[in-house]
Amino acid sequence: MTQINSVNYSSALLDVVIIGGGLVGGLTALLLAQGGVQATVLDAAPILDEEKTLAVANPRVLALSQATIHLLKTVDVWDNIARQMPYTGMQVWNKNGYGEINFGYASEQFPTAEQSLGSMVEPSVLNLAIQHKMLEQLRDYRTQVKVIRVEQGVNCWIIKLADGTELKTKLVIGADGANSFVRDQAFIDFDILDYKQAGLTCAIRTAQPHQYMARQIFHPTGPLAFLPMASLNSDQAEHWISIVWTLPDDYADEFAELDDADFCQLLTHESHHMLGEVLEATSRAKFPLKARAAQRYVKNGLALIGDAAHVIHPLAGQGVNIGCLDAAILCDVLLHDLKRGVWAHEQTLKRYEHQRKGQNDAMMHSMSTIGFIESTELFPLVWARNFALKQVEKQPFLKDQFMAQANGLSSLKATRYAV
Ligand SMILES: Cc1cc2nc3c(=O)[nH]c(=O)nc-3n(C[C@H](O)[C@H](O)[C@H](O)COP(=O)(O)OP(=O)(O)OC[C@H]3O[C@@H](n4cnc5c(N)ncnc54)[C@H](O)[C@@H]3O)c2cc1C
């Protein structure tokens, strides 16, 4: 086991242990540290090798909302992200219909922060920046840790590690992703919806530049997203795109096996030549798509955040964004009550659950419904979706509502992290 910045706390009762130091767990630890609370962070993964991480293009990017970017700025991570690609517009349309909706605009120049709607960042490049900041700011951050048990004791939780270490804490935060061990150990049930689909992702180079626009076509088989991504070198910098192609499992298996030339040809055709020919495709990867929703987010002295609490369909690119909002709301209620001398009380944790679960469940259901409606060929639904897209396109007010929902800033309004 590698221990980094580790203090021997074995006999002490810790204030908080975060299990999972990915983007959501890491952000939580940094927001707490800023509020004067040092968390112990345990992560199964190793510290990333900077040179190796930056030398390859990830097969996928995360579309980060303005709220997530604001939170990353708050903890001084944003400016240390090695590469990212802002976008100024979004275009969504149906393959077999006339419905189309546009947000923002295409840009010829690299956008300023004020012009961009959000930014595309590769997960490993983001994790690298988060890890560096945790190493700098946290006193007890341990990587390559195997947690073998999480159990409730008297007024505390006991965490057992494979090397025999036992930690006692007043609060456990489960930020350990979709297959959360913490969730299982706390006997928190979850609902699961298997879409029987996979997300096929890869980095591609196109003949025409992306003009800082994210594009998504709804095919009967599922959406195909073209997301502008930062390139590894300045040559053809505006021609690199990350695709997320949602497909039924058997199609995804077949397309994943195609040789590069056939795959590029297929993508050129399925994207309606929107950026001309697809010239190159690298780093293909496949992710099974399943929605998961924990039936509760909290128990006495324990909270779930991020994918440990909810996994949603990637078509809206919101998974990590709603996880970062969980982190902000949880830290806000914890730090608010700490000022009154109360730490991680049951009522404090319930306020977090109350503020996040309804919103996250609603987002999850709407993504599942859109996924169904957009991939159906049933005539009334095809008509309804085209009509709905056209109506929204004609109504600036509705489009503003959509954007306000997507940028996440309204969820931070009543918190210490308000913009
Ligand atoms: C194809 C695809 C495209 C996506 N696109 C977007 C997008 O555009 N925008 C967006 O917002 N979201 C997107 N998402 C969702 C996003 O990737 C997730 O929501 C996000 O990674 C969840 O972050 P997390 O920190 O909760 O979990 P994770 O990123 O899974 O991190 C979990 C951490 O916990 C650690 N861990 C796991 N188990 C243990 C254990 N037992 N003990 C200790 N540590 C442990 C891991 O090492 C890891 O560091 C996409 C997802 C997919 C599949």
Side-chain angles (χ1 to χ4, degrees), residues 22-28 31 62-72 75 126-127 130 305-307 310 318-332 352 356 360 407-408 411-412 415 417:
L23 172 57
V24 175
L27 175 65
T28 308
L31 288 172
L62 298 168
L64 301 186
S65 67
Q66 286 173 355
T68 299
I69 294 170
H70 168 69
L71 291 167
L72 290 170
V75 293
L126 185 52
N127 276 339
I130 289 266
I305 55 175
D307 275 20
H310 44 74
Q318 286 293 339
V320 89
N321 292 316
I322 62 175
C324 290
L325 292 175
D326 294 347
I329 303 300
L330 179 60
C331 292
D332 189 57
Y352 153 68
R356 294 304 304 150
N360 291 342
N407 72 29
S411 299
L412 296 177
T415 74
Y417 309 113

Side-chain angles (χ1 to χ4, degrees), residues 30 37 41 63 93 157 159 179 188 209 252 254 265 284 370 376 393:
L30 293 170
V37 177
V41 176
W93 72 99
W157 283 82
I159 297 162
N179 299 311
I188 296 180
E254 187 188 328
Q265 206 178 4
R284 238 176 288 173
I370 290 173
T376 186
E393 176 62 16

Side-chain angles (χ1 to χ4, degrees), residues 85 204-206 210 229-241 280:
M85 179 56 73
I204 61 170
R205 187 166 61 86
T206 55
H210 49 59
M229 75 182 292
S231 115
L232 294 187
N233 48 50
S234 51
D235 189 33
Q236 297 245 298
E238 289 159 25
H239 293 250
W240 280 94
I241 311 282
E280 203 179 325

Side-chain angles (χ1 to χ4, degrees), residues 18-26 42-46 60-65 68 120 123 127 131 145-147 175-182 198-201 227 243-245 287-289 305-323:
I18 301 175
I19 302 181
L23 172 57
V24 175
L42 309 175
D43 199 283
R60 71 179 172 109
V61 291
L62 298 168
L64 301 186
S65 67
T68 299
M120 307 292 176
N127 276 339
Q131 284 187 343
V145 173
K146 189 165 169 49
V147 179
D176 51 345
N179 299 311
S180 173
F181 181 68
V182 176
L200 187 59
T201 64
L227 310 171
I243 65 151
V244 183
W245 197 356
F287 299 86
L289 299 181
I305 55 175
D307 275 20
H310 44 74
V311 179
I312 69 169
H313 198 292
L315 75 87
Q318 286 293 339
V320 89
N321 292 316
I322 62 175

Side-chain angles (χ1 to χ4, degrees), residues 35-36 86 98 208 243 260 313:
Y98 302 100
Q208 289 167 24
I243 65 151
D260 283 350
H313 198 292

